[in-house]
């Protein structure tokens, strides 16, 4: 079975988001833990969370993916930005325990001129402060396009973060198809080669989720502009290969394409029709 969902808004609560996922043919979803531009997170009602948990159990949901706000930059040159990011990460990881055993994804960060090495050091320090032994969440580093001073566009950088993390057994990777393509990994003509490289450098067992996005731009452009599935430079045939690949086909897939809810429902139906059908 294809485990697939899309990014959805949590504004009506956890139970409502589970119902919305079902209504578009999804068995998982991604949501922002708080406003993507930052700020306080809404209060969690236990009854609302319980409503989602029963929907997930009754409908065989794959793990769901919480996404940290984009403003969470653990390796900014500005101390107050780093402090805000650490507070956000710490609070999010504690809140995740309302939904035990799921996934939390974040952008490693932008070093804003400090250099990659310094940035990686700061990301490791933050993870080692915020993560805790009893947590049941798997924290995912997202592969990035390498826009500006973003860290995480090379597999080696993600590996360095994992190597420095105290709780590395609870750390995995979320592969974003638009981002890796924009970073220069050719998943269109050499998907197997890219995954072999991932395995060699990071270890394929660390790969826990995939963001499915086409790209508006060309291989290696370092841009990060998502496009609808099949309408960008990656193309439909490549997505068919991706969802059916032996290393990927059991993972949860999340659409972050420029769509409203109907568009997501159509893309989910399209991808399901191409699954198990190589
Ligand atoms: Fe992301
Ligand atoms: Fe993404
Ligand atoms: Zn992106």
């Amino acid at each position: 079975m294809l485990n697939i969902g899309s990014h959805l808004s949590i504004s009506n609560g956890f139970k409502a988001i589970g119902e919305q996922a079902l209504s578009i043919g999804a068995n998982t979803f991604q949501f922002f833990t708080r406003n993507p531009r930052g700020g306080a997170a809404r209060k969690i009602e236990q009854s609302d969370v319980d409503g989602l948990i029963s929907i997930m159990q009754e409908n065989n949901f794959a793990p769901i993916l919480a996404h940290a706000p984009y403003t969470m930059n653990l390796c900014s040159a500005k101390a107050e930005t780093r402090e805000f990011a650490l507070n956000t990460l710490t609070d999010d990881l504690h809140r995740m325990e309302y939904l035990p055993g799921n996934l939390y994804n974040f952008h490693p960060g932008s070093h804003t001129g400090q250099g990659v090495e310094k940035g990686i050091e700061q990301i490791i320090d933050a993870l080692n402060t915020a993560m805790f032994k009893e947590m049941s969440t798997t924290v995912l580093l997202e592969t990035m396009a390498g826009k500006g001073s973003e860290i995480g566009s090379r597999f080696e950088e993600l590996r360095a973060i994992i190597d420095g993390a105290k709780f590395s057994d609870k750390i995995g990777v979320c592969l974003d198809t638009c981002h890796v393509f924009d970073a220069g990994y050719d998943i269109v003509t050499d998907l197997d080669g890219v995954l072999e490289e991932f395995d060699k450098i990071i270890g394929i067992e660390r790969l826990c989720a995939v963001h499915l996005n086409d790209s508006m731009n060309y291989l290696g452009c370092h841009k990060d502009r998502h496009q609808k599935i099949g309408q960008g430079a990656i193309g439909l045939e490549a997505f068919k290969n991706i969802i059916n690949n032996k290393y990927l086909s059991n993972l949860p897939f999340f659409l972050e394409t420029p769509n409203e809810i109907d568009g997501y429902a159509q893309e989910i139906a399209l991808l399901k029709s191409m699954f198990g059908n190589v």
Side-chain angles (χ1 to χ4, degrees), residues 176 179 224 226:
D176 185 308
H179 297 178
D224 189 5
H226 300 187

Side-chain angles (χ1 to χ4, degrees), residues 30 32 67-68 70 105-107 142 144 176 179 211 226 256:
Q30 170 178 275
F32 281 127
H67 195 307
Y70 294 142
N105 173 70
F106 75 104
H107 297 178
E142 182 166 353
M144 301 310 293
D176 185 308
H179 297 178
H211 280 164
H226 300 187
E256 303 177 303

Side-chain angles (χ1 to χ4, degrees), residues 101-174:
N102 286 291
L103 308 167
Y104 178 83
N105 173 70
F106 75 104
H107 297 178
S110 295
H111 64 70
T112 63
Q114 304 186 94
V116 174
E117 217 169 301
K118 179 82 184 166
I120 287 175
E121 214 175 278
Q122 291 172 336
I123 295 163
I124 291 169
D125 280 349
L127 286 171
N128 289 347
T129 307
M131 292 179 73
F132 50 100
K133 202 165 110 232
E134 305 77 22
M135 61 184 276
S136 65
T137 304
T138 302
V139 174
L140 305 185
L141 311 170
E142 182 166 353
T143 62
M144 301 310 293
K147 191 172 46 148
S149 64
E150 269 174 2
I151 290 175
S153 66
R154 304 297 313 165
F155 295 157
E156 289 83 356
E157 295 170 3
L158 300 177
R159 174 59 196 256
I161 296 169
I162 295 167
D163 279 345
K166 190 162 54 171
F167 300 107
S168 59
D169 56 315
K170 300 175 197 292
I171 297 185
V173 172
C174 173

Side-chain angles (χ1 to χ4, degrees), residues 6 35 99 114 138 142 146 201 219 250 253 259:
S6 69
N35 186 304
L99 288 160
Q114 304 186 94
T138 302
E142 182 166 353
I201 295 165
L219 179 71
N250 289 317
F253 294 97
N259 274 306

Side-chain angles (χ1 to χ4, degrees), residues 5-277:
S6 69
H7 187 88
L8 294 174
S9 165
I10 192 77
S11 56
N12 293 317
F14 286 104
K15 181 158 182 266
I17 203 174
E19 284 163 350
Q20 190 173 39
L22 281 179
S23 79
I24 59 171
N27 69 339
T28 183
F29 59 87
Q30 170 178 275
F31 65 102
F32 281 127
T33 56
R34 58 191 75 216
N35 186 304
R37 283 172 298 280
R42 49 185 286 143
K43 190 179 176 314
I44 296 178
E45 303 288 347
Q46 188 63 55
S47 62
D48 185 32
V49 172
D50 290 345
L52 172 60
I53 291 173
S54 29
I55 288 175
M56 290 177 66
Q57 285 169 349
E58 283 158 24
N59 296 280
N60 276 314
F61 268 44
I64 57 172
L65 183 54
H67 195 307
Y70 294 142
T71 44
M72 192 183 98
N73 186 5
L74 298 170
C75 59
S76 168
K78 286 192 188 152
E80 62 272 27
T81 305
R82 289 200 307 275
E83 194 192 329
F84 168 81
L86 177 59
N87 290 339
T88 301
L89 178 65
T90 304
D91 187 40
D92 277 357
L93 292 182
H94 282 92
R95 292 162 57 92
M96 284 300 290
E97 294 302 316
Y98 278 93
L99 288 160
N102 286 291
L103 308 167
Y104 178 83
N105 173 70
F106 75 104
H107 297 178
S110 295
H111 64 70
T112 63
Q114 304 186 94
V116 174
E117 217 169 301
K118 179 82 184 166
I120 287 175
E121 214 175 278
Q122 291 172 336
I123 295 163
I124 291 169
D125 280 349
L127 286 171
N128 289 347
T129 307
M131 292 179 73
F132 50 100
K133 202 165 110 232
E134 305 77 22
M135 61 184 276
S136 65
T137 304
T138 302
V139 174
L140 305 185
L141 311 170
E142 182 166 353
T143 62
M144 301 310 293
K147 191 172 46 148
S149 64
E150 269 174 2
I151 290 175
S153 66
R154 304 297 313 165
F155 295 157
E156 289 83 356
E157 295 170 3
L158 300 177
R159 174 59 196 256
I161 296 169
I162 295 167
D163 279 345
K166 190 162 54 171
F167 300 107
S168 59
D169 56 315
K170 300 175 197 292
I171 297 185
V173 172
C174 173
L175 184 113
D176 185 308
T177 56
C178 169
H179 297 178
V180 284
F181 182 76
D182 286 15
Y185 292 103
D186 190 355
I187 54 173
V188 176
T189 65
D190 190 21
L191 178 64
D192 285 342
V194 171
L195 293 174
E196 276 160 29
E197 190 173 345
F198 186 102
D199 187 37
K200 202 174 73 196
I201 295 165
I202 300 175
I204 202 76
E205 70 286 349
R206 297 267 183 196
L207 189 51
C208 297
V210 177
H211 280 164
L212 279 183
N213 303 304
D214 213 326
S215 174
M216 286 195 185
N217 298 102
Y218 56 91
L219 179 71
C221 65
H222 302 296
K223 287 264 208 278
D224 189 5
R225 298 282 308 280
H226 300 187
Q227 180 55 290
K228 294 180 182 173
I229 298 300
Q231 296 184 26
I234 296 177
L236 203 55
E237 195 58 31
F239 284 103
K240 188 174 175 179
N241 290 333
I242 289 165
I243 60 174
N244 287 292
N245 181 278
K246 65 173 174 181
Y247 295 116
L248 308 178
S249 60
N250 289 317
L251 298 176
F253 294 97
F254 302 90
L255 295 161
E256 303 177 303
T257 45
N259 274 306
E260 302 296 329
I261 195 77
D262 292 348
Y264 283 139
Q266 284 169 24
E267 286 187 345
I268 288 169
L270 172 68
L271 289 159
K272 281 183 176 175
S273 77
M274 302 192 306
F275 188 63
N277 189 9

